[in-house]
Amino acid sequence: MKATVYVRLKAEVLDPQGDAVRRALGTMGFDDIKNVRIGKLIELELGNAGSGDESSVRSALEKAANELLANPVIEDYEITFGE
Amino acid sequence: MKATVYVRLKAEVLDPQGDAVRRALGTMGFDDIKNVRIGKLIELELGNAGSGDESSVRSALEKAANELLANPVIEDYEITFGE
C-alpha cells in the first residue's frame, strides 16, 4: 500500500520561496500568476502492516506527520492512500 | 484557476532525504515502511489568463516546469488543474 502525505504551509504563513518562484516565472513571461505556494510531497511505501485497516495506519501516519514530517505550528498536512 | 505541479525524483535516482525520513520513522516505531520518497508540491493560483483553454496553460506550465520548477535530469513532474 502507498500513502502520500502532502505538507503545505498554513494560509496565514508567508511563503518567500513561493514568492521567489512567482517572480522568477514573471521574468520568464508567466506574469498572470497571482500566488505560488511551495509544499512537500512525501510518498511512503508501506509494508505488510500497511495492508491492515486504513484507520490505524492513518492514525499512525498522523502521529508521524505531527512529530516528524510537518511542523504543525506553521504547516498543515493531508494524508491520502493509494493502491 | 489553480494548478498544481508535483515534482518527484525519478525512480532510478537515490533519495537520501527520503531514506533519512524512513530511518527516523523507524526509530519512532514505524518500522514497516519499505521506502520513502520526498518531492515538491507547487501550487499556483492563476489569474484571468488561466481561465483560457487548459491546453495552452498546460503547455506554458510544462515549459516553466522544465526550465524552473523541476530539474528534468533527475526529476519528473506532473501537472493537475483544480477549481
Side-chain angles (χ1 to χ4, degrees):
Chain A
M1 189 163 81
K2 273 183 63 177
T4 305
V5 182
Y6 302 90
V7 178
R8 299 177 173 91
L9 283 173
K10 286 181 196 276
E12 64 270 25
V13 176
L14 291 177
D15 183 354
Q17 190 186 3
D19 285 342
V21 167
R22 188 178 52 74
R23 281 195 301 273
L25 289 171
T27 66
M28 288 170 64
F30 306 101
D31 39 19
D32 192 33
I33 297 174
K34 285 195 211 153
N35 197 17
V36 178
R37 306 284 288 180
I38 312 243
K40 274 182 292 184
L41 179 68
I42 302 161
E43 295 178 316
L44 304 107
E45 197 182 320
L46 305 174
N48 291 330
S51 52
D53 72 309
E54 195 176 293
S55 68
S56 70
V57 178
R58 178 178 292 276
S59 65
L61 282 178
E62 281 174 0
K63 185 169 176 287
N66 272 311
E67 293 180 16
L68 181 77
L69 303 175
N71 175 352
V73 177
I74 58 166
E75 291 171 328
D76 286 326
Y77 60 83
E78 180 189 342
I79 298 169
T80 64
F81 291 96
E83 75 284 5
Chain B
M1 188 162 80
K2 272 183 63 174
T4 304
V5 182
Y6 301 89
V7 178
R8 297 178 175 92
L9 282 174
K10 287 182 196 275
E12 64 271 25
V13 176
L14 290 178
D15 184 352
Q17 191 187 2
D19 285 341
V21 168
R22 187 177 52 76
R23 280 194 302 273
L25 288 172
T27 66
M28 287 170 65
F30 306 100
D31 40 18
D32 193 33
I33 297 173
K34 285 196 211 153
N35 198 16
V36 178
R37 307 283 289 178
I38 312 243
K40 275 182 291 186
L41 178 68
I42 302 161
E43 295 178 315
L44 303 108
E45 199 181 319
L46 305 173
N48 290 330
S51 54
D53 71 309
E54 193 177 294
S55 68
S56 69
V57 178
R58 179 178 290 276
S59 65
L61 282 178
E62 282 175 357
K63 184 168 175 290
N66 272 311
E67 294 179 15
L68 181 77
L69 303 176
N71 175 353
V73 177
I74 56 166
E75 291 172 328
D76 286 324
Y77 60 83
E78 180 189 343
I79 298 170
T80 63
F81 291 96
E83 76 284 6

